[in-house]
Amino acid sequence: MITRKVGPALACGCTVVVKPSEFTPLTALAAADLALQAGIPAGALNVVMGNAPEIGDELMQSTQVRKITFTGSTAVGKKLMAGSANTVKKVSLELGGNAPCIVFDDADIDVAVKGSLAAKFRNSGQTCVCANRILVQEGIYEKFASAFVKAVQSLQVGNGLEESTSQ
């Protein structure tokens, strides 16, 4: 997520401030370190951590910050949009996510189960496009549900460095 947003900004010659989730900052820190190793000048990619509302308020009020991009909750997106209005910042928001996986009666059960597993458990279910609900048409519900449960039970949860681990 970070590289998808930071890359174009750096390519255009802009400096970037990244404020990762306070719960998961390590990816942002690793990306910043890799950027330095790759030759991105020091200070071009900056990572700030701490109290999200305080940092957000500072970024919103700053006239030096010209664009805000955010992927996350609709509630936070609304606050960022409102806060950006005073300084007329450009805003790009990717909010919420309510991704259904829909399976119709004419679906091939094996293909539908395989696709539903991929839609739900991609990156251990931690992407914004992962299905958060699976809607199955009544005519194949029992058959699909049985096959899906069996497939989920066969997922190997464990150390990601082990070959047999899928989650």
Side-chain angles (χ1 to χ4, degrees):
M1 199 64 75
I2 291 168
T3 57
R4 193 175 79 195
K5 294 178 181 229
V6 168
L10 292 175
C12 291
C14 300
T15 57
V16 179
V17 176
V18 175
K19 173 22 198 116
S21 165
E22 57 273 21
F23 302 113
T24 56
L26 297 180
T27 299
L29 292 170
D33 184 53
L34 290 171
L36 287 172
Q37 290 178 41
I40 301 295
L45 173 56
N46 306 277
V47 179
V48 294
M49 297 179 296
N51 183 293
E54 288 178 15
I55 292 168
D57 288 346
E58 285 295 320
L59 294 172
M60 294 304 104
Q61 294 168 15
S62 172
T63 56
Q64 291 181 304
V65 175
R66 295 173 46 197
K67 179 176 174 88
I68 298 291
T69 181
F70 173 74
T71 299
S73 73
T74 301
V76 171
K78 287 179 179 181
K79 289 178 184 177
L80 294 174
M81 184 178 277
S84 295
N86 289 335
T87 54
V88 193
K89 293 180 189 342
K90 292 179 174 134
V91 180
S92 297
L93 303 172
E94 185 180 341
L95 305 177
N98 204 8
C101 177
I102 303 171
V103 183
F104 292 106
D105 281 342
D106 62 349
D108 176 311
I109 297 292
D110 293 334
V111 172
V113 167
K114 187 176 179 182
S116 297
L117 280 175
K120 179 60 185 164
F121 294 102
R122 177 183 297 116
N123 195 38
S124 295
Q126 299 177 63
T127 67
C128 58
V129 296
C130 281
N132 58 11
R133 59 204 163 136
I134 300 174
L135 306 173
V136 182
Q137 200 166 3
E138 194 172 359
I140 63 164
Y141 175 80
E142 293 299 329
K143 197 182 284 188
F144 175 87
S146 176
F148 187 76
V149 166
K150 185 176 179 181
V152 170
Q153 289 173 336
S154 73
L155 294 174
Q156 293 296 313
V157 178
N159 182 337
L161 298 175
E162 293 178 10
E163 191 74 28
S164 62
T165 298
S166 59
Q167 297 291 305

